[in-house]
Structure formats: structure tokens, C-alpha cells
Amino acid sequence: MASEVHEATGPTAYIVHHLTDLKVGEGFWTFNLDTLFFSALLGLIFILFFKKAADSATSDVPGPLQNFVEMIVEFVDTQVKDSFHGRNELIAPLALTIFCWVFLMNAMDLLPVDLLPGIAALVGIPYLRVVPTTDLNETFAMSISVFFLIIYYSIKVKGPIGFAKEMLLTPFGPWMIPFNLLLKLVEELAKPISLGLRLFGNMYAGELIFILIALLPWWVQPALSFPWAVFHILIITLQAFIFMVLTIVYLSLAHEDH
């Protein structure tokens, strides 16, 4: 299918088509329907998968599903214990949700680039991007949500006065309040920006490479797509892990009251 589209429209149009979201609305109120749909769908799959594992859990000899879920939960729990130094029952479930949800969204990049867009075209849908984390709106939505949690717990744990002192008096004391505030604002704003851009950049680059491989002759594609897909499995897992760990670390810093 890639070669047919390539011949009909040229490589530039093919790339632009695969990097265009299915949109509705205008200006600020533009919604990327494909990002919203696949994000919600993969989130639902995550919930149902873990619910099934919880419903079928047994104290006897566990089955493969229970073993797999327990392995993931233990892995995430270890990361929380190593990185989070406060007391908050929300952190472990949040970390588990982030890791699994981001991994599932990243893993959509392993599907053939023309598979789902081609099926969508048959039913009259002109554009379809299936990897939500290649949409900057998605990655920033998640990172800004983490940022709001950081601010919330910073104020809750340290109190409004303690939070204000941290923003205004560190690191150079009361005589440098404007400079202190500027440094703290840059430090705090860098957290969601780096979280969102890191995930988006890595996944966008991976998607683009798959699209470029699809433009090559069909007899060359398997020799390149398979090795890149195997390597990409490491990337999608690592990016989910990094997003989870940084979230834990940032929330741990928010809970520290010095």
C-alpha cells in the first residue's frame, strides 16, 4: 500500500498525510480525534486487562496472566520505593498507570504504518495517526497534569507559607527575591516541558523512520523495518520508564519539607 500511495502522490505528500491528525474544530478548540480515541481505547484496555487479572487472582499456583501482572506491579513498586521518600498512597498506582498507559500508546508505533490508516480510508476517514504519543498535545497534557500534582503536593505538604518561602527565598536568601523567583520558575516550568518534549521527540522520530522505510521498495522494507522494530521495542519501553521515574522523582521532591 505504501508504494501505491507513493506513486500516486509522491513521497512528500505521503509523509505529510501520515503525519496529519484527524481534526475537528478551529483554533484553540481544535481536537485531534485520533489521539483522543486511541488514548481512551488503550487506557480502557489497560484497565480491563488489570481488572481481569485481579478478578482471577488466586493464592494457589498463579496462572501466566497473574504472574505477568505481578511482575509489572513488583517492578513499579520497586521504582517507587527507591525514588519516592514521602508517604502517599497515590504514587504507586499513578506510576503503574503512567508506565503501562504510555507503553501501550508507544507500542502502537510497531503496527505497520499503512494498516489502520488504510482501513480508515476504506470507510471514508481521510487521516488517522495511531500513535498518541507522537502528538505534542497528548504528551504535554500528561506532563502538565503531573505539573499540577507537583504544585498541589508542594503546597499541601509544605503549606502555603512554606511553598512561598521556597519559591522566594531559595537559593540566595531574602535579598535576592526577584532572582530566586526567576530561577525557581524556570526550574519548575522545565519539568513539564522536558517531560512532554522528551516523550514526543523520541516517538515522533521513531514514527518518521517507519514512514521513511515504507517509502522504500517493498523488497527492501523487511530488511530495515524488522531490525528497527526490534530496536524500537527498547525505545518505547525506555520512554515509558523514564516518564514514570521522572514523575516519581518530581513528586518526591514536592513531598520534601526542609
Side-chain angles (χ1 to χ4, degrees), residues 22 38 85 92 122 151 198 220:
L22 180 64
F38 284 109
H85 305 126
L122 295 176
I151 300 301
R198 180 185 294 105
V220 178

Side-chain angles (χ1 to χ4, degrees), residues 17-221:
H17 177 272
H18 277 68
L19 296 179
T20 302
D21 288 285
L22 180 64
K23 301 177 183 293
V24 64
E26 295 182 1
F28 179 80
W29 298 107
T30 300
F31 295 93
N32 294 344
L33 297 181
D34 41 16
T35 297
L36 294 173
F37 172 77
F38 284 109
S39 298
L41 176 63
L42 294 169
L44 180 62
I45 291 174
F46 160 69
I47 293 172
L48 295 178
F49 182 81
F50 273 72
K51 184 179 184 302
K52 179 176 177 57
D55 292 340
S56 61
T58 175
S59 57
D60 296 330
V61 179
L65 176 61
Q66 184 175 341
N67 280 329
F68 178 70
V69 170
E70 286 181 352
M71 180 180 66
I72 297 177
V73 171
E74 184 177 353
F75 168 73
V76 172
D77 190 57
T78 300
Q79 304 306 316
V80 173
K81 289 178 179 178
D82 291 342
S83 304
F84 186 76
H85 305 126
R87 293 181 60 86
N88 191 329
E89 295 180 353
L90 172 70
I91 303 303
L94 176 65
L96 177 65
T97 301
I98 287 175
F99 178 73
C100 295
W101 194 28
V102 173
F103 175 82
L104 288 174
M105 289 190 288
N106 292 350
M108 294 294 287
D109 213 7
L110 298 176
L111 295 175
V113 294
D114 289 311
L115 178 60
L116 295 183
I119 296 174
L122 295 176
V123 296
I125 299 176
Y127 302 103
L128 190 70
R129 293 185 69 184
V130 302
V131 189
T133 45
T134 59
D135 184 353
L136 196 58
N137 298 284
E138 171 74 21
T139 59
F140 266 122
M142 293 189 295
S143 65
I144 292 172
S145 299
V146 172
F147 177 69
F148 285 152
L149 286 175
I150 294 171
I151 300 301
Y152 170 76
Y153 283 113
S154 293
I155 297 175
K156 181 179 179 180
V157 172
K158 303 164 187 175
I161 296 178
F163 177 71
K165 286 182 178 179
E166 183 179 73
M167 294 294 294
L168 298 175
L169 304 181
T170 57
F172 298 116
W175 303 107
M176 298 286 286
I177 286 180
F179 191 61
N180 292 337
L181 180 60
L182 178 62
L183 287 179
K184 289 297 292 183
L185 287 176
V186 171
E187 178 185 344
E188 295 302 320
L189 292 176
K191 295 175 182 178
I193 293 175
S194 63
L195 268 180
L197 286 179
R198 180 185 294 105
L199 179 58
F200 164 76
N202 281 276
M203 297 312 302
Y204 187 88
E207 179 189 39
L208 186 58
I209 291 175
F210 276 122
I211 293 173
L212 293 176
I213 292 175
L215 287 169
L216 298 174
W218 65 267
W219 48 271
V220 178
Q221 294 179 20

